[in-house]
Amino acid sequence: MSKLGKVSKNLSDNLDEELLLQKPVSVWKRTIKRLLSKRSGKIGLLLICVIFVIAIAAPIIAPYDPQEVLIGKEVVKLKKREAPCIHVFGCDKVKPQHIMGIDGNYRDQFSRIIYGSRISLSIGFSTVSFAVVGGVLLGALAAFFGGWIDNIIMRMMDVILGFPSLLLAIAIVAVLGPGIRNALLAIAIVTLPAYARLTRASVLTVKELDYVKASLALGASPTRLLLFRILPNSLTPIVVLATLGIATAILDAAGLSFLGLGAQPPTPEWGTMLGSERNQVFSAPHLVFFPGIAIMITVLAFNLFGDGLRDALDPRLND
């Protein structure tokens, strides 16, 4: 063997040894690293973390109880829908400080906005969790078993998709009665088909792969094959859709609350706050502006995070 051949063989052996000694990197660690390299993902994750901190620390941050009526509890008499008073910006220090003003029921608007983050996050995560569990289960069963099971499940999803989502949600709440729980159920039902159809498509692709056929040939039961081989490898697009779905759920819940079908007063929910003061947009714009900004920032945060996560999980963008 020539000297050059020996050197090449030694380099190849060393490289193989290094590769064997390297610890395998998990898919999610690699995904997180890619996510943090995306600007939209970083901004969205930062905003989500800030919103979570605000929601968790709401009793510390909020100066008042969100449902407390402040008539007779302040040194200076309050006015209904009083404008924001911030001492740093020149507001008279004799007057009590209300960063976002007073609403039409003499409650501190800032405290209600802070506590509203808790309600909006719980709405988003609970709604999406219900829709994901139901949609993944139905989609996986339809794709794995096929036949009449597939036809029945998919036709049910087609019926739901045949109605405009917001109108169907309004109809469901109108039948069940107004309230935040019924609004959550309605939103989950109208978003269920998206997860079912996506899961079905993903499972149909994965179950034709070689390792699934090998497990089937080795005698794996259908339940084990579905739960431990097919579903874990079909969840990547579901994770992205669920992240974006949180933003949609928060927006839909705010819309139902704005119409009086979701959270009911005096619950400090942003959509309810908008609906209660919608006629004061010119006389007391701060009562409409701040809840609207809170909804916008929260929805934007989850949309940016979902976009970054989608790019991080797309192998075509990470070669």
Side-chain angles (χ1 to χ4, degrees):
M1 184 182 292
S2 65
K3 191 172 183 180
L4 183 60
K6 289 181 179 180
V7 172
S8 177
K9 186 176 183 302
N10 289 334
L11 288 173
S12 178
D13 292 341
N14 292 335
L15 183 60
D16 291 340
E17 186 177 352
E18 289 179 4
L19 290 173
L20 288 172
L21 291 174
Q22 284 181 353
K23 293 182 179 180
V25 181
S26 70
V27 174
W28 291 110
K29 283 185 178 180
R30 189 161 56 245
T31 300
I32 292 172
K33 186 177 179 181
R34 290 171 179 170
L35 176 65
L36 294 177
S37 67
K38 309 290 182 182
R39 181 177 298 177
S40 61
K42 285 191 291 188
I43 295 173
L45 183 59
L46 177 62
L47 289 174
I48 290 171
C49 290
V50 171
I51 295 168
F52 265 98
V53 170
I54 290 172
I56 293 169
I60 301 172
I61 299 173
Y64 300 92
D65 185 284
Q67 299 183 19
E68 182 183 9
V69 178
L70 300 176
I71 296 177
K73 296 182 180 181
E74 302 282 4
V75 178
V76 178
K77 186 178 179 180
L78 291 174
K79 296 179 181 178
K80 181 183 284 190
R81 301 188 178 92
E82 190 169 348
C85 175
I86 304 174
H87 295 159
V88 177
F89 294 150
C91 179
D92 190 351
K93 293 186 179 180
V94 176
K95 299 175 66 175
Q97 181 169 254
H98 295 285
I99 297 175
M100 295 181 180
I102 300 295
D103 72 0
N105 291 299
Y106 297 93
R107 296 171 299 202
D108 182 65
Q109 181 83 342
F110 176 69
S111 300
R112 292 178 63 77
I113 293 289
I114 294 298
Y115 274 91
S117 62
R118 286 185 164 189
I119 296 174
S120 290
L121 289 177
S122 63
I123 285 172
F125 281 97
S126 58
T127 302
V128 169
S129 298
F130 180 86
V132 166
V133 171
V136 168
L137 179 62
L138 292 174
L141 290 175
F144 188 76
F145 293 105
W148 64 270
I149 296 177
D150 184 18
N151 286 331
I152 290 175
I153 293 174
M154 287 300 104
R155 296 302 74 78
M156 290 170 57
M157 298 301 105
D158 290 341
V159 169
I160 296 175
L161 287 172
F163 297 92
S165 58
L166 186 57
L167 289 180
L168 181 57
I170 292 172
I172 293 172
V173 176
V175 172
L176 298 177
I180 192 167
R181 289 186 180 179
N182 292 338
L184 296 182
L185 180 61
I187 296 168
I189 290 172
V190 300
T191 55
L192 190 95
Y195 298 100
R197 290 166 69 94
L198 185 59
T199 302
R200 178 179 179 273
S202 186
V203 170
L204 284 174
T205 302
V206 172
K207 80 173 189 176
E208 298 299 326
L209 298 178
D210 292 339
Y211 69 87
V212 176
K213 293 181 178 179
S215 297
L216 186 62
L218 290 171
S221 65
T223 303
R224 183 176 180 80
L225 198 63
L226 180 62
L227 294 179
F228 297 100
R229 288 288 182 269
I230 297 176
L231 269 184
N233 293 286
S234 306
L235 293 180
T236 299
I238 303 298
V239 171
V240 176
L241 183 61
T243 306
L244 296 170
I246 293 173
T248 305
I250 292 173
L251 204 57
D252 288 346
L256 290 175
S257 297
F258 180 83
L259 296 173
L261 298 173
Q264 300 297 301
T267 305
E269 199 273 333
W270 295 333
T272 303
M273 295 163 68
L274 277 173
S276 300
E277 304 293 345
R278 64 182 180 274
N279 294 326
Q280 312 301 324
V281 64
F282 296 110
S283 59
H286 59 283
L287 298 180
V288 178
F289 176 77
F290 289 117
I293 287 294
I295 294 172
M296 186 198 74
I297 292 174
T298 306
V299 172
L300 177 64
F302 281 102
N303 280 333
L304 288 175
F305 181 72
D307 288 340
L309 187 61
R310 180 189 58 201
D311 294 343
L313 290 170
D314 192 343
R316 294 170 297 180
L317 301 176
N318 297 284
D319 292 335

